[in-house]
Amino acid sequence: MCSDKILTGLLAVSYAIYLLLGAIVFRALEKNEELEQKRAVIQMKVAFLQNLAHLTEADVEQFVKNLTDAVQRGVYPVGNESQAEDSNWDLCNSFFFVAAMVSTIGYGTLCPKTVAGQIFCVFFASFGIPFTIVFLHRVSKMLFLPCERLGRCLYERGMRKKKIKFLTLLFFLVMGILVFLCLPSVVFQVMEGWSYSEGFYFAFITLSTIGFGDYVVDKQPDRNYPSYYRFLVAIWIIFGLVWIAFLFNLLTTLLEDTEKKIAQNLHKRGKA
Amino acid sequence: MCSDKILTGLLAVSYAIYLLLGAIVFRALEKNEELEQKRAVIQMKVAFLQNLAHLTEADVEQFVKNLTDAVQRGVYPVGNESQAEDSNWDLCNSFFFVAAMVSTIGYGTLCPKTVAGQIFCVFFASFGIPFTIVFLHRVSKMLFLPCERLGRCLYERGMRKKKIKFLTLLFFLVMGILVFLCLPSVVFQVMEGWSYSEGFYFAFITLSTIGFGDYVVDKQPDRNYPSYYRFLVAIWIIFGLVWIAFLFNLLTTLLEDTEKKIAQNLHKRGKA
Ligand SMILES: [K+]
Ligand SMILES: [K+]
């Protein structure tokens, strides 16, 4: 039991180091490229402003097209020269990018643009994704402990095994929906100013690892987030990913059971 | 064997119907909202053009901010009123969105904006993702057939089981990298005008289900794609997802074996 805890600790630390090293490399590879692109967009804006008196419709259309391209490439053209020095690829954002990548959520709010960054991405994720799975396997053992305890408690009171299985599953499902979807939605409502349904949608899209990137936490420039918020979100994602993987597994098993029954029916008919 | 083929067919057809129904519902829910947003952006552009002679720096900044918001919401402000009638939510794009969602790739180039669309998204994906897993399980059986045949062939020639396992794995790995990553990268190079490394990066980001959405196939307005291209991409994704899931599984097993060895060492030391 003690060596098991040491192993969990070792795994968590080495996983964190792996992510941190990745974040440092991506920052080194991407920061300059991004600053150059940002400066180019701001220069384009300055040139547009200087020419304000002599603009044609075609100029505006070209300006809109260039701006659209820049935003789609992840360069935000709002603000002036001084803000151009703020990088999306600081260590914190780079770590967020790496974590979103290896969990396969992949919001896509920040993406590598350099050839080196893209190639490193492929290698880093090739090992990072299995590493994440191993880490989450270990977390899942912790998450299932309360369910096991509940099961043992009910078994000692003389309940039938089938009923226990059903009850622990129900407990796991209902508690999970409350703790991983309903409760976080309230937190996002307060912290991000989203509606409750937007918070719920974001929570589901994140934990299911779809990660559209239309809603992302901790990213609105006009909001102040407390320092513990990021930490809470990380904990929520780690346990939430495990919970939803279990849920999808359960639904997959149910579907495959149905499939087997249909196969048996087909087989019987084929023989008849 | 025959009933097995019928079952595969049934599964594929019901899966396709599920996706198609989803695409129809999303189109119905989202199309109007998107058209309204698009019209609003184009009106803003027209107002900006009319006021061209009296613009201040602050006006331009506000215009840039509004445009940035629009692009981030997925409304592309390039073009004029007539183009505003083209919807991102036609049946084809809606189907592409649904497929990207249930495979958890989630490029995020198209996202539901209405409350109804977002709620439907949660329910549709809750069953759609397990459904996809069941479908891919069935595909994986087809994909592993050549490997099994190769193994049987080698076994009949008197090769040792361990060596056969290693050789089939190597065959699976090398063939997979060639067929699912290297070859498609060449196709993307030709069809999308990306560099080879960009194509490789896109292929990996898609099949690993990270799906940043910075590169998406069949979406560049200035390119003509042949009609079979979409079909080829769909086939590539279906088989590629199965292959890469197997690859990640393999790497996870390797990591967990290492973990076990470390645990045994820790246990021995704890006893000593
Ligand atoms: K994803
Ligand atoms: K994604």
Side-chain angles (χ1 to χ4, degrees):
Chain A
M1 191 63 197
C2 183
S3 68
D4 207 48
K5 272 184 188 165
I6 296 175
L7 195 64
T8 306
L10 268 178
L11 190 68
V13 169
S14 50
Y15 183 60
I17 291 175
Y18 185 75
L19 294 189
L20 192 65
L21 288 179
I24 291 170
V25 173
F26 276 110
R27 185 184 57 169
L29 292 173
E30 295 294 329
K31 203 171 182 176
N32 285 333
E33 172 78 9
E34 191 223 356
L35 279 182
E36 266 171 40
Q37 290 207 341
K38 213 166 181 177
R39 276 200 205 109
V41 168
I42 295 205
Q43 267 172 18
M44 180 188 76
K45 218 167 73 177
V46 169
F48 184 80
L49 278 171
Q50 282 170 347
N51 202 24
L52 218 50
H54 316 282
L55 287 175
T56 65
E57 199 166 319
D59 288 337
V60 175
E61 191 62 35
Q62 187 59 44
F63 180 66
V64 169
K65 196 171 178 315
N66 291 346
L67 278 183
T68 305
D69 286 349
V71 176
Q72 287 185 320
R73 272 183 285 117
V75 180
Y76 304 112
V78 180
N80 55 34
E81 188 80 46
S82 67
Q83 280 170 292
E85 300 302 322
D86 298 339
S87 177
N88 288 325
W89 285 100
D90 61 15
L91 192 61
C92 200
N93 284 331
S94 189
F95 191 87
F96 178 85
F97 159 76
V98 168
M101 180 171 66
V102 294
S103 59
T104 75
I105 296 173
Y107 288 120
T109 45
L110 203 58
C111 296
K113 310 288 169 207
T114 63
V115 177
Q118 293 177 350
I119 291 171
F120 181 67
C121 202
V122 172
F123 286 99
F124 188 80
S126 294
F127 294 94
I129 293 170
F131 203 167
T132 308
I133 297 172
V134 171
F135 177 66
L136 292 181
H137 272 178
R138 207 139 253 279
V139 171
S140 76
K141 285 179 192 163
M142 286 160 66
L143 198 63
F144 291 126
L145 268 181
C147 284
E148 267 176 33
R149 268 187 209 148
L150 178 75
R152 226 177 296 145
C153 185
L154 292 174
Y155 187 71
E156 278 161 12
R157 291 187 183 180
M159 201 177 274
R160 273 185 309 138
K161 275 204 171 172
K162 214 169 179 181
K163 203 172 175 186
I164 291 176
K165 204 181 165 190
F166 176 76
L167 278 179
T168 47
L169 263 182
L170 196 73
F171 170 77
F172 191 75
L173 199 71
V174 172
M175 282 301 288
I177 291 178
L178 287 176
V179 172
F180 294 119
L181 296 177
C182 295
L183 184 69
S185 309
V186 178
V187 177
F188 299 138
Q189 218 177 345
V190 175
M191 292 290 188
E192 308 284 344
W194 299 334
S195 72
Y196 186 79
S197 73
E198 282 177 320
F200 197 90
Y201 166 76
F202 163 76
F204 178 82
I205 293 297
T206 296
L207 296 188
S208 62
T209 74
I210 294 174
F212 284 133
D214 48 351
Y215 294 86
V216 180
V217 288
D218 202 23
K219 280 278 169 290
Q220 293 178 61
D222 50 340
R223 284 199 164 250
N224 284 318
Y225 301 101
S227 53
Y228 58 82
Y229 182 52
R230 253 177 215 179
F231 185 72
L232 275 182
V233 169
I235 298 288
W236 165 68
I237 289 184
I238 291 171
F239 284 92
L241 283 177
V242 169
W243 173 72
I244 221 160
F246 181 83
L247 181 70
F248 286 156
N249 232 323
L250 197 75
L251 289 170
T252 306
T253 313
L254 279 176
L255 278 173
E256 292 197 317
D257 284 350
T258 319
E259 202 193 354
K260 266 180 205 157
K261 274 179 198 157
I262 295 172
Q264 281 169 357
N265 272 333
L266 279 173
H267 196 69
K268 269 184 202 162
R269 278 194 196 179
K271 275 190 175 172
Chain B
M1 192 63 196
C2 182
S3 68
D4 208 48
K5 272 184 190 167
I6 296 175
L7 195 64
T8 307
L10 267 178
L11 191 69
V13 169
S14 51
Y15 183 61
I17 291 175
Y18 185 75
L19 294 190
L20 192 66
L21 288 179
I24 291 170
V25 172
F26 276 110
R27 183 184 56 169
L29 292 173
E30 296 293 329
K31 203 170 182 175
N32 284 334
E33 171 78 10
E34 192 224 355
L35 279 184
E36 266 171 41
Q37 290 206 343
K38 213 166 181 180
R39 276 200 204 110
V41 169
I42 294 206
Q43 267 172 19
M44 181 187 77
K45 219 167 72 178
V46 170
F48 184 80
L49 279 171
Q50 282 171 346
N51 202 23
L52 217 49
H54 316 284
L55 287 175
T56 66
E57 199 165 320
D59 288 336
V60 175
E61 191 63 36
Q62 187 59 44
F63 180 66
V64 169
K65 197 173 177 313
N66 291 346
L67 278 183
T68 305
D69 287 348
V71 175
Q72 286 185 316
R73 273 183 284 116
V75 181
Y76 303 113
V78 180
N80 55 32
E81 188 81 44
S82 68
Q83 279 171 294
E85 301 301 322
D86 297 340
S87 177
N88 288 326
W89 286 100
D90 62 14
L91 192 62
C92 200
N93 284 330
S94 189
F95 191 87
F96 178 85
F97 159 76
V98 168
M101 180 170 67
V102 294
S103 59
T104 76
I105 296 173
Y107 288 120
T109 44
L110 203 58
C111 297
K113 309 288 170 207
T114 64
V115 176
Q118 292 178 349
I119 291 172
F120 181 67
C121 202
V122 172
F123 286 99
F124 188 81
S126 293
F127 294 93
I129 293 171
F131 202 167
T132 308
I133 297 172
V134 171
F135 177 66
L136 292 181
H137 272 180
R138 206 141 252 281
V139 172
S140 77
K141 285 178 192 164
M142 286 160 65
L143 197 63
F144 291 127
L145 268 181
C147 282
E148 268 176 32
R149 268 187 209 150
L150 178 74
R152 224 177 298 145
C153 185
L154 291 174
Y155 187 70
E156 278 162 9
R157 291 191 183 178
M159 201 177 274
R160 273 185 309 138
K161 275 204 171 171
K162 215 170 179 180
K163 204 172 174 187
I164 291 176
K165 206 181 164 189
F166 176 77
L167 278 179
T168 46
L169 263 181
L170 195 73
F171 170 77
F172 191 74
L173 198 71
V174 173
M175 282 302 287
I177 290 178
L178 287 176
V179 172
F180 295 118
L181 295 176
C182 296
L183 184 68
S185 309
V186 179
V187 177
F188 299 137
Q189 218 177 344
V190 175
M191 292 292 188
E192 308 285 344
W194 299 335
S195 72
Y196 187 80
S197 73
E198 283 177 318
F200 198 90
Y201 167 75
F202 164 76
F204 178 82
I205 293 296
T206 296
L207 295 188
S208 62
T209 75
I210 294 174
F212 284 133
D214 48 352
Y215 295 85
V216 180
V217 287
D218 200 22
K219 281 277 169 291
Q220 292 178 62
D222 50 340
R223 283 198 167 251
N224 285 319
Y225 300 101
S227 52
Y228 60 83
Y229 182 51
R230 254 181 214 174
F231 185 71
L232 274 183
V233 169
I235 298 288
W236 165 68
I237 289 185
I238 290 171
F239 284 93
L241 283 177
V242 169
W243 173 73
I244 220 161
F246 180 84
L247 182 70
F248 285 156
N249 233 324
L250 197 74
L251 289 171
T252 305
T253 314
L254 279 177
L255 278 174
E256 292 196 318
D257 284 350
T258 318
E259 203 192 354
K260 266 180 205 156
K261 275 179 197 157
I262 296 173
Q264 282 169 357
N265 272 333
L266 279 173
H267 196 68
K268 270 183 200 162
R269 278 195 196 177
K271 274 189 175 172

